[in-house]
Amino acid sequence: MVHALRSRRVVTPHGEIDAAVLIDGELIAAIKPTHALDASIPVEDLGSLALLPGLVDAHTHINEPGRAEWEGFATATRAAAAGGFTTVVDMPLNCLPETTNVRALELKREAARSQCMVDYALWGGCVDGNQHELEPLALAGVAGFKSFLIYPGCDGFTAIDRANLELAAPILARTGLPLLVHAELAPGIDEAVALLNTSGANWRHYATYLTSRPDQAELEAIELLIALCRRHRFRLHIVHLATAKALPMIRAAKNEGLSITVETCPHYLHCCAEEISDGATLFKCAPPIRGSANRELLWAALADGTIDLIATDHSPCPPHMKRVEPIEPGMECGRFDEAWGGIASLSTALSVLWTECHRRKLSLPQLAQWTAATPAKLAGLSAFVGSIEPGKHANLVVFDPDAEFVVTPDCLHYRHKISPYMGERLRGVVHSTWLRGQRVFDQRSGQPQFTAPPHGREYALSCSLA
């Protein structure tokens, strides 16, 4: 049925407008003044609630198949819908088997089928020795490839060294797909950890963990990647940038014309090292959350375009892996060296970010660019999603930018209800989320409801090898 959503604050690529978004089946048919609609068309008037494009998360760890006890497609995509995300792109590690060949890709597709509340795409893995798998994965429909320059925390997804990157790079260039890289090098980190352990450092102190992963590890990795990108001319994407010290070299590389994009994450834009308590391992991520001055430089780099987009890096695990609760006698909680490095954030990311944007007088159209339009472009999905425009999927978020709420376990719809934001007051509330013209999440009554059976589907991309 043709119907419309009307808002005084429809967030389009050209700014906020008072308009009605006409929905015909799965697609946005038109954006019109309300008075220009045919009188027979049902209209839901949202008043001053904002209407955003469905958000696109280009960095989601879902972990199924194989580790669904950490997170699975059903719970991750419920959390996404509740958080205003209508598309997620799943990372190729932490699942079993890791998505480093076509067989593993098909197993992941089978695991996802009929479980997802939102749409999804899949990254493939680029690891030591799998260069011959990259073209088959590209032809099978992955959105691009993920690599680690350092041990990723799971044995089956190997870090890639320079020699193997040199072998992979020409193939990556031929596919035209992006290489997403966790940019830290191990030697500086290994040296820092050894010095800390020799000196008897207290691993319950956040300062110890911060010292163990110095800025230099990121800087050296990014310098290496820029050199490889310059030589082989593939699309390079740096994930979860944490250090602002890398911004000058990134700006220079972009000015040189290299195909480089960069993301940062809600936790780097909201949190700062000075405010993380000892033992607060829910804040552990890699690279680490750095200081408040660093945070402000990341915001400035978003504003000037040096950083292109924001991704959640939703990386959940059971509570005992964060060392917030013991599972055996004698286990010491609160040790940053033993805790899993990841933050679950799909349900809260939009509100965390809007809280910070509001403080800085940044606009909803700017936030939509960073969290919807540009991530969609990175993943090759711009023809379908990322903005409110005719012809695109009717993926929409009804958002109250003025409401506030306190984070409680009831707000979190992923598998394990833990969060570094627990108890914090945030600004901005998702009222409902629409996926291809159907409302899939609704809390207008004050109680969250998932109002449609899972009908999320995969964007499997076509690839023509150059």
Side-chain angles (χ1 to χ4, degrees):
M1 183 179 68
V2 177
H3 60 110
L5 298 178
R6 184 260 172 166
S7 168
R8 297 188 186 92
R9 303 185 66 181
V10 178
V11 177
T12 76
H14 310 293
E16 292 185 27
I17 61 173
D18 185 339
V21 177
L22 188 67
I23 300 169
D24 187 353
E26 295 190 343
L27 301 179
I28 297 170
I31 303 168
K32 296 182 175 182
T34 306
H35 65 77
L37 291 179
D38 187 290
S40 65
I41 294 174
V43 179
E44 181 177 333
D45 194 335
L46 305 173
S48 60
L49 296 177
L51 189 63
L52 303 175
L55 306 188
V56 178
D57 187 30
H59 194 149
T60 312
H61 294 271
I62 293 178
N63 308 332
E64 192 176 5
R67 289 192 174 98
E69 72 275 13
W70 294 18
E71 184 77 287
F73 283 100
T75 50
T77 58
R78 280 170 63 91
F85 291 90
T86 52
T87 311
V88 296
V89 193
D90 179 46
M91 283 292 169
L93 65 154
N94 302 346
C95 52
L96 294 170
E98 298 78 6
T99 318
T100 56
N101 56 53
V102 172
R103 177 182 172 275
L105 175 66
E106 294 303 329
L107 289 171
K108 179 167 282 193
R109 284 174 166 157
E110 182 61 31
R113 195 164 291 128
S114 302
Q115 288 206 74
C116 296
M117 293 295 300
V118 302
D119 290 341
Y120 56 97
L122 304 171
W123 299 117
C126 178
V127 298
D128 273 1
N130 85 325
Q131 307 91 275
H132 60 288
E133 303 285 0
L134 301 180
E135 284 188 1
L137 281 165
L139 293 169
V142 298
F145 300 94
K146 173 71 180 291
S147 288
F148 276 73
L149 300 184
I150 192 169
Y151 176 64
C154 297
D155 292 340
F157 195 93
T158 56
I160 192 165
D161 61 19
R162 178 166 190 154
N164 275 274
L165 273 174
E166 292 276 9
L167 294 172
I171 302 169
L172 294 166
R174 198 155 57 244
T175 70
L177 299 177
L179 177 68
L180 291 72
V181 187
H182 180 125
E184 288 181 291
L185 289 180
I189 293 173
D190 293 343
E191 181 181 348
V193 169
L195 287 172
L196 288 164
N197 286 335
T198 300
S199 66
N202 187 337
W203 282 101
R204 295 191 79 259
H205 293 169
Y206 184 74
T208 301
Y209 176 61
L210 184 59
T211 302
S212 77
R213 294 190 93 107
D215 299 74
Q216 194 63 28
E218 282 190 84
L219 297 174
E220 292 173 355
I222 292 169
E223 185 177 28
L224 165 65
L225 292 167
I226 289 172
L228 286 168
C229 182
R230 182 181 295 116
R231 178 173 176 181
H232 295 286
R233 299 288 166 169
F234 60 89
R235 289 174 60 196
L236 170 64
H237 180 73
I238 297 166
V239 300
H240 51 50
L241 182 72
T243 179
K245 292 181 179 179
L247 294 171
M249 78 169 86
I250 291 168
R251 287 191 186 100
K254 288 188 167 195
N255 289 336
E256 185 183 333
L258 299 182
S259 181
I260 296 177
T261 52
V262 181
E263 73 185 45
T264 193
C265 303
H267 37 279
Y268 300 128
L269 296 166
H270 180 66
C271 308
C272 61
E274 298 93 327
E275 297 174 1
I276 298 177
S277 302
D278 292 345
T281 50
L282 291 177
F283 289 91
K284 181 181 176 180
C285 55
I289 295 164
R290 304 193 187 277
S292 57
N294 183 89
R295 176 184 62 191
E296 297 314 308
L297 290 170
L298 295 179
W299 275 109
L302 273 166
D304 70 23
T306 305
I307 297 176
D308 300 271
L309 63 96
I310 304 171
T312 71
D313 192 10
H314 177 75
S315 185
C317 68
H320 74 269
M321 291 181 65
K322 293 297 284 184
R323 294 298 187 260
V324 296
E325 61 181 35
I327 58 169
E328 57 188 33
M331 176 180 284
E332 183 181 355
C333 294
R335 285 185 61 112
F336 282 94
D337 57 336
E338 295 179 352
W340 174 258
I343 292 174
S345 57
L346 278 171
S347 294
T348 53
L350 178 56
S351 300
V352 167
L353 291 168
W354 180 241
T355 299
E356 295 298 326
C357 284
H358 184 264
R359 287 173 182 163
R360 293 168 173 79
K361 297 181 168 51
L362 298 169
S363 69
L364 285 172
Q366 286 174 291
L367 183 56
Q369 182 70 33
W370 296 325
T371 57
T374 311
K377 183 179 180 181
L378 172 70
L381 303 177
S382 292
F384 312 106
V385 298
S387 58
I388 299 178
E389 295 180 275
K392 294 198 174 181
H393 289 154
N395 292 353
L396 303 162
V397 181
V398 181
F399 183 66
D400 186 343
D402 300 317
E404 296 184 348
F405 72 102
V406 174
V407 178
T408 64
D410 291 343
C411 304
L412 309 176
H413 298 278
Y414 43 79
R415 183 172 297 279
H416 299 287
K417 311 296 194 240
I418 56 175
S419 170
Y421 310 117
M422 197 75 75
E424 191 170 344
R425 179 171 292 275
L426 299 176
R427 188 179 188 92
V429 172
V430 174
H431 277 228
S432 58
T433 303
W434 296 72
L435 177 69
R436 287 182 277 108
Q438 292 188 45
R439 199 191 315 261
V440 293
F441 173 76
D442 187 13
Q443 59 175 353
R444 290 171 298 171
S445 67
Q447 294 297 318
Q449 298 178 32
F450 296 89
T451 56
H455 69 282
R457 65 190 185 203
E458 182 191 355
Y459 291 103
L461 304 179
S462 59
C463 174
S464 298
L465 299 178

